[in-house]
Amino acid sequence: MANVLYPPPRPQSVGEILDSAFRIFRATLVMSLPYAVAAVIAGQLPNIYYLLSGRSMLQGLTGQFRDPAWDALYILGYLIAVVLWSAVLLRQYGLATGHPADTSSELSTAVRRLPAMVLLGILTGCAIGIWFVPGLALQGTARLGALLLLAIPACYMAVALSCGWAVLLVTGKGAVASLMHSYRLTSGSFWRLTLIYTVAFVLLMVLYMVSGLIAGLVSLLLGHGDIAVITAATTGFVVILSAVGTPFFWALALAVLGDLSVRKEGADLAQRLSTPAAP
């Protein structure tokens, strides 16, 4: 890629970070979409199992925890999805830095880092969820009020650890080291990062709504009243729209990580981060 999009040459404003995220997203969407679509399908493995076995989705939801096959497919689908999500970021990272890797290298790296990614997810969930534990000891209105109050430090922790996923995949650090690195990078940037994530979320929701309306109209036009065709077309659009969110999320994560690396640790480190990590 002639135009290197990561890391940025200098610290960026909120608007510049969002612009960097959209540029990375646009430049890498087509190449990363196959991974993202496959991840969406992998996440639906237990539901596909129920449909193929002739059971309705409602039956699946009410009986899923009594069916070992559903549980096994849920876990398998989640692990496959994590690998594919990781491959999306690795592909975007390679394209954005001008060092694209081949598919086998991306997938093998993602598989090797799967245990660390799962551990990082568990640790992140615990670090955020533990703040709500004291509120669960209360009852009624007191519990609600306590949970709302405790959501403040929980949100702070979520923002503080938000770069952990990208750090782990970009640098190859372990789960704990990635979370600690994320905490150091995001220190003092809570409100700024909150604004970035909020704006990005709103823009993504608007994109989903507009695209959903267009997809619905196209499905009706193509279906000519045929329910089967309309359902198939709508399902295809939903899968694609769901998949688009993953490249956007990772593009934003890369843009934020690049800015924080330059801002906190200097351009030299950010430039070193642009060199592909050893598999």
Side-chain angles (χ1 to χ4, degrees), residues 21 50 85-86 88 93 109 115 119 137 184 188 205 216 226 240 258:
Y50 267 112
W85 292 333
S86 301
V88 170
Y93 177 67
T109 300
L119 177 59
R184 287 194 296 269
M205 290 302 100
D226 190 323
I240 294 174

Side-chain angles (χ1 to χ4, degrees), residues 146-165:
L147 292 177
L148 290 176
L149 186 62
L150 292 170
I152 297 174
C155 288
Y156 178 87
M157 187 59 64
V159 172
L161 303 181
S162 61
C163 291
W165 307 86

